[in-house]
């Protein structure tokens, strides 16, 4: 092949925006807006949670164009990956990882241990009696090793344990079967198994309301203790399911600072901003959301300890916050609207000027 020809082929493979695949055929009304990920390319990957069935739709195009990181919204949760002992269901998770790998996008793994998504068989012993601590830990190890080995090198970070802390729980931990059957060291075992399974993966403790003072104290203490004892934990995942008022941007900044001082990374893992409960009129809600999102991203961009920011969804057309809402009363927490067009928040974060829509486009 001549050099010229080789260059043409190379540029085709790399694609115009360095991420979307040539075969993607990004719709022009999507591609006319600069990719969100470009605004932060020198700082951190920008991600979104996705369901496998969204990948081949317009949501997949939006994901490929604007984002350079992906999280499986549900497909990598233990009950979905291993519904029966030893019976792994990798189809959905594989689709998400393949989509990302083919486009050079990163993947955050979510999650290896979560009390809400632990399949029942984990707790059952051979004779119908409750499984012992040893059996549960052996199952946890087998699950973590199988999953992380499959995605080694393609999933760069894992939420190893999800939502383990509770300020009113025993020893600041949530009162779950994990705590009762295994004991508080289930957390450290999960991290050790994960590090053993993929020593190159970044390992996170993920939780919500990390800015809430009592919970934050618990989480800080837990992270400090794990680090002091040499448990391989690299960072804290802050879900950041927030609304128009709380937590304040100052609370978020202060919280990130406290974790950074422990020497761990901060990743924003499930960002969304509910407007549904706001007293503001609808138009003002979205402007207020835009201003608040922009202020948050200024904090993220200025803090070297923030190493990733991911949204919990791509557009308002699909968000977990609407699972129980009725049409006419839907929430609008993300940067793209229900028609999957950019909202004020997108323009505020990227500092892009709104361009009038060309009807011929
Ligand atoms: C949610 C998904 O978005 C829903 O589709 C599912 O029914 C329940 O889980 N914190 C987490 C996520 O860590 O895994 C949750 O995702 C949202 C709250």
């Amino acid at each position: 092949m001549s050099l010229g020809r080789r260059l043409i082929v190379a540029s085709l493979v790399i694609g115009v925006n360095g991420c979307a695949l040539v075969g993607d055929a990004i719709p022009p009304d999507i591609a006319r807006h600069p990719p969100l990920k470009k605004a932060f390319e020198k700082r951190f990957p920008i991600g979104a949670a996705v369901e496998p069935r969204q990948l081949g739709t317009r949501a997949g195009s939006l994901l490929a164009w604007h984002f350079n990181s992906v999280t499986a919204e549900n497909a990598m949760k233990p009950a979905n990956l291993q519904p029966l002992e030893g019976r792994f269901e990798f189809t959905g998770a594989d689709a998400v990882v393949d989509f990302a790998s083919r486009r050079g996008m990163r993947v955050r793994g979510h999650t290896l241990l979560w009390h809400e998504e632990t399949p029942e068989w984990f707790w059952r012993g051979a004779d119908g009696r409750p499984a012992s601590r040893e059996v549960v830990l052996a199952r946890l190890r087998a699950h973590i090793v199988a999953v992380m080995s499959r995605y080694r090198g393609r999933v760069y970070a894992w939420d190893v344990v999800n939502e383990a802390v509770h300020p009113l729980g025993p020893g600041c931990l949530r009162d779950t079967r994990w705590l009762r059957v295994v004991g508080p060291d289930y957390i450290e075992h999960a991290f050790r198994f994960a590090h053993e399974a993929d020593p190159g993966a970044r390992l996170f403790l993920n939780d919500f309301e990390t800015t809430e003072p009592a919970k934050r104290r618990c989480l800080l203490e837990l992270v400090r203790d794990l680090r002091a004892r040499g448990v391989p934990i690299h960072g804290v995942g802050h879900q950041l399911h927030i609304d128009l008022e709380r937590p304040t941007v100052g609370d978020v900044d202060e919280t990130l600072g406290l974790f950074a001082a422990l020497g761990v990374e901060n990743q924003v893992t499930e960002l969304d901003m509910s407007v549904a409960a706001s007293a503001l009129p609808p138009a003002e809600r979205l402007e207020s959301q835009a201003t608040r999102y922009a202020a948050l991203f200024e904090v993220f961009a200025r803090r070297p300890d923030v190493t990733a920011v991911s949204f919990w969804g791509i557009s308002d057309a699909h968000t977990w916050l609407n699972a129980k809402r009725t049409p006419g009363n839907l929430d609008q927490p993300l940067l793209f609207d229900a028609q999957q067009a950019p909202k004020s928040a997108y323009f505020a974060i990227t500092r892009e000027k709104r361009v009038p829509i060309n009807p011929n486009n």
Side-chain angles (χ1 to χ4, degrees), residues 148-168:
M148 288 184 75
S149 309
R150 185 174 186 91
Y151 299 121
R152 196 180 296 142
R154 292 190 292 161
V155 172
Y156 83 104
W158 279 96
D159 293 331
V160 177
V161 180
N162 197 31
E163 303 184 352
V165 164
H166 197 296
L168 304 177

Side-chain angles (χ1 to χ4, degrees), residues 42 56 77 84 102 111 118 135 155 164 168 180 214 221 225 256 267 277 286 301 303 306 308 330 343 355 357:
K42 299 209 171 60
K77 291 172 181 172
L84 298 170
R102 281 192 276 121
T111 172
T118 304
V135 166
V155 172
L168 304 177
R180 271 177 261 146
E221 195 41 56
D225 174 66
L256 296 172
Q267 296 204 336
L286 296 188
R303 301 202 61 96
V306 174
L330 295 175
K343 294 162 62 181
V355 208
I357 309 257

